[in-house]
């Protein structure tokens, strides 16, 4: 059975077109259309904690900290605990990562390893100094870590009220900075957010 001429023509044109444009990465598509959006756009899918809330909290805390002038001489700071006291699962590490990233970029503060990150640092020091695999003059020396002058601690709370038609969620994020040696609160800030939805 012969292939119709118009099909052969289409195949040749498609081949020539592919050759002229070069090879490109394949695009996998599914039935459901997915589009990239603006990561800074206001997110209003639900009244649960979302990306916009995270961004607003981080911006408020960073702005307040940088305005205080407490970071004279680039002091060292560590992140202690951030308690989630809401009824939702919220990754508070995500909030603190955004705050830490902005503060590091400001060039006004240095961060030491947090409590959660410290074990991996200890493991690396032990590996370099106890495994016998490295030249002694290239290993990181034990006892040389810089201690933190300040510690950031916080908590995220919420109050939820609802009836048959309306759900109201009030979030409050409180962040404190302690002087590690003196135990005094050197800075404290709060960010409040209220979200209401109709059923």
């Amino acid at each position: 059975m012969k292939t119709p001429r118009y099909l052969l023509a289409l195949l040749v044109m498609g081949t020539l077109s592919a050759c002229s444009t070069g090879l490109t990465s394949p695009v996998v598509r599914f039935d459901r259309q997915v589009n990239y959006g603006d990561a800074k756009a206001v997110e209003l899918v639900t009244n649960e904690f979302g990306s916009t809330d995270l961004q607003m909290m981080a911006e408020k805390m960073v702005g307040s900290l940088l305005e205080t002038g407490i970071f004279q001489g680039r002091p060292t700071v560590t992140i202690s605990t951030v308690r989630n006291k809401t009824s939702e699962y919220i990754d508070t590490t995500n909030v603190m990562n955004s705050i830490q990233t902005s503060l590091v970029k400001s060039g006004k503060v240095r961060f030491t390893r947090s409590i959660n990150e410290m074990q991996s640092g200890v493991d690396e020091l032990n590996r370099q100094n106890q495994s016998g695999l490295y030249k002694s003059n290239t290993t990181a020396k034990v006892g040389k870590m810089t201690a933190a002058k300040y510690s950031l601690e916080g908590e995220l709370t919420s109050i939820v009220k609802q009836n048959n038609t309306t759900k109201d969620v009030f979030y409050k994020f409180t962040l404190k900075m302690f002087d590690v040696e003196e135990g005094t609160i050197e800075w404290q800030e709060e960010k409040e957010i209220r979200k209401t939805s109709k059923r």
Side-chain angles (χ1 to χ4, degrees), residues 124-139:
E124 177 62 16
L125 278 172
N126 289 337
R127 187 170 68 85
Q128 288 189 23
N129 287 281
Q130 297 174 9
S131 66
L133 297 172
Y134 302 96
K135 295 177 183 177
S136 60
N137 63 341
T138 65
T139 59

Side-chain angles (χ1 to χ4, degrees), residues 7-195:
L7 284 178
L8 286 173
L10 286 175
L11 285 171
V12 170
M13 287 172 52
T15 303
L16 291 174
S17 175
C19 291
S20 65
T21 58
L23 296 176
T24 59
S25 299
V27 177
V28 178
R29 297 196 185 277
F30 298 96
D31 291 339
R32 183 177 295 172
Q33 184 66 39
V34 176
N35 296 310
Y36 282 97
D38 181 0
K40 292 285 187 181
V42 176
E43 177 263 310
L44 296 172
V45 178
T46 70
N47 60 0
E48 295 177 341
F49 190 86
S51 60
T52 301
D53 307 316
L54 183 154
Q55 290 163 356
M56 287 195 297
M57 288 177 177
E59 287 170 10
K60 170 82 174 191
M61 298 303 157
V62 170
S64 177
L65 269 168
L66 293 178
E67 285 173 6
T68 64
I70 201 168
F71 293 144
Q72 297 296 324
R74 290 188 73 218
T76 50
V77 177
T78 190
I79 294 173
S80 184
T81 56
V82 180
R83 293 175 296 279
N84 174 17
K85 299 176 76 175
T86 73
S87 58
E88 300 175 44
Y89 170 75
I90 298 173
D91 184 1
T92 55
T93 302
N94 212 359
V95 179
M96 295 309 294
N97 281 343
S98 293
I99 293 170
Q100 183 175 345
T101 298
S102 295
L103 289 174
V104 168
K105 285 182 174 180
S106 76
K108 295 184 177 180
V109 62
R110 296 178 299 154
F111 277 86
T112 64
R113 289 181 182 270
S114 69
I115 292 171
N116 295 331
E117 296 167 331
M118 182 55 74
Q119 188 57 54
S120 62
V122 171
D123 291 343
E124 177 62 16
L125 278 172
N126 289 337
R127 187 170 68 85
Q128 288 189 23
N129 287 281
Q130 297 174 9
S131 66
L133 297 172
Y134 302 96
K135 295 177 183 177
S136 60
N137 63 341
T138 65
T139 59
K141 303 298 182 271
V142 176
K144 296 290 186 177
M145 284 189 182
T146 301
K149 177 171 176 53
Y150 298 113
S151 173
L152 281 174
E153 298 180 22
E155 67 178 27
L156 180 61
T157 61
S158 68
I159 299 172
V160 180
K161 299 287 185 182
Q162 58 186 334
N163 58 26
N164 292 335
T165 59
T166 305
K167 182 177 181 181
D168 180 87
V169 184
F170 173 81
Y171 294 101
K172 184 168 78 167
F173 182 55
T174 305
L175 193 61
K176 303 176 184 181
M177 189 163 71
F178 291 88
D179 184 298
V180 174
E181 184 175 57
E182 298 181 10
T184 55
I185 297 175
E186 297 298 308
W187 169 89
Q188 181 169 334
E189 186 61 89
E190 294 179 343
K191 174 62 180 176
E192 298 175 345
I193 296 172
R194 166 165 267 117
K195 301 173 82 174

